[in-house]
Structure formats: structure tokens, C-alpha cells
Amino acid sequence: MFDVHAIAVVFSVYVVGVVVPGPNFVAVAHKAASTTVHEALGTVVGIVLVNLFWASCAIMGVGIVFATFPWIALAVKLAGAGYLIWFGGRLIVKAGAQAAAPETSRTGGMRRAIREGVATNLVNPKSMAFFAAVFAAAAPPHVSMPTFLGMLGTVGVVATTWYGLVAVLFATPRVAARYRRHKAWVDRVCGSIIVALGIRQLAR
């Protein structure tokens, strides 16, 4: 049986959650402005794949696992915070490097972009906490296969649309040119935001 109400609740909750800027937003925007729209969309693919993974885990009860084995939640939290601090720190350290003109899409560049999207979102504390708590609570106790697929479809469409728009916007010639002119301070700001998110996660 297809639960329309559950899909509507998941849609409303997820739209609000996904548009709030976080590590995923910064990663896509930075990738789009510093490389090409194709590579930025590759990052989007990686992020969406992980969102589908976290949504599946939430529907199947990953929150219960974290509650039963708190050390798993702590390990995931520390790994995520560590990655965010490393990723943001790398942006800050390399901020002074000269910005090259974006190249045409390359297979290696696309694969790397997908891997970066997966890595950024896989250890993103915001995604894990959102799906494990809010998203899991929005799902009905017993989810039928049509409803399950409908929820995943909602996540996939919303995430692809939002982050795809971010990628296209920040890859426009005007935005990309401004980024290359102000690369040093933009990278430092983006890196500082990501590092701050990691530190905040450790402090919680």
C-alpha cells in the first residue's frame, strides 16, 4: 500500500533540511566555481547516493542501532568531525594557490568529483543526525515497499534538484570568474566554515 501522507511528510521535512547550508552545499558550490559544471554535478551524484543510503538506513531503523550501541554513534561522529576539519583545513592551506581556468570534463575528474561527494556526505554529521532522528521519526512504523521506494524517490529528486541548481548557478561564467579573482579569501571562508562545522560537531 502506498502511503501518500508519509511521502508528503517526508517531502516537507526533507526540503527544509536539505536547503539549510552545510558541508554538502559548500562542497558543491566550491567545486562548481573552481572546476566545471560537469565535475560539480559529479559531486552532486556522490552526495545524492549517500543521501539515499542514509534515508534507507533511517527507514530501516539505524537510529535504534545508534541508541543500542552509542559507541558506534560516537565513532561516526568523531570520524565525520575529523574529516570536516581536514577538508576545511586543506582548503585554507591551499587558498593561496593560483586558480587555473577550468578544464573540460575528464573521466578522472568526474570520478574524483563523485568520490569527493560521497566522502563529504558519508561523514557529514548534519546528514547522519537529520536522517537518523528527524527523517526516521517522519517514517511510519511499518513501511511498505511502494512507500519505501516513494520516500527514496522523494529524497533523490529533491536532493538532485537542489544541489544541481547550486552546481549550475556557481558554475556560471560570472560567478566562476569572480571566484577565480577572489580565490584566496573565498577558499579561506569556505574552509573556515567547514572547519567550524567539524569543531562544533566535536563540541556537542
Side-chain angles (χ1 to χ4, degrees):
M1 181 178 179
F2 189 76
D3 192 335
V4 178
H5 175 70
I7 301 299
V9 171
V10 166
F11 174 80
S12 60
V13 172
Y14 186 64
V15 166
V16 174
V18 78
V19 299
V20 176
N24 293 339
F25 179 91
V26 175
V28 172
H30 184 269
K31 193 72 173 179
S34 60
T35 59
T36 67
V37 68
H38 296 92
E39 292 191 29
L41 291 176
T43 301
V44 172
V45 169
I47 288 172
V48 172
L49 288 175
V50 176
N51 273 357
L52 294 175
F53 169 74
W54 285 125
S56 299
C57 290
I59 296 171
M60 292 185 291
V62 71
I64 298 176
V65 176
F66 284 168
T68 306
F69 303 100
W71 64 269
I72 296 179
L74 178 61
V76 172
K77 169 185 173 180
L78 294 177
Y83 177 81
L84 291 177
I85 293 172
W86 172 81
F87 182 69
R90 186 180 64 170
L91 281 181
I92 296 172
V93 170
K94 295 184 176 181
Q98 183 176 2
E103 302 175 11
T104 56
S105 179
R106 301 158 296 169
T107 302
M110 180 64 73
R111 290 175 180 172
R112 183 173 61 252
I114 294 174
R115 288 197 300 268
E116 289 175 357
V118 169
T120 299
N121 200 19
L122 192 61
V123 295
N124 180 359
K126 177 176 176 286
S127 289
M128 289 183 290
F130 176 76
F131 284 111
V134 180
F135 195 91
H142 304 287
V143 182
S144 65
M145 183 56 67
T147 301
F148 177 79
L149 295 177
M151 290 178 174
L152 292 187
T154 300
V155 170
V157 170
V158 173
T160 301
T161 301
W162 171 247
Y163 290 119
L165 288 174
V166 172
V168 172
L169 173 63
F170 280 83
T172 55
R174 178 177 296 180
V175 174
R178 287 182 178 177
Y179 164 76
R180 287 191 292 273
R181 286 198 302 269
H182 307 288
K183 179 182 182 298
W185 72 265
V186 170
D187 283 5
R188 291 189 182 103
V189 169
C190 290
S192 298
I193 291 173
I194 295 176
V195 169
L197 290 170
I199 293 175
R200 186 182 68 173
Q201 183 62 21
L202 286 177
R204 286 182 174 181

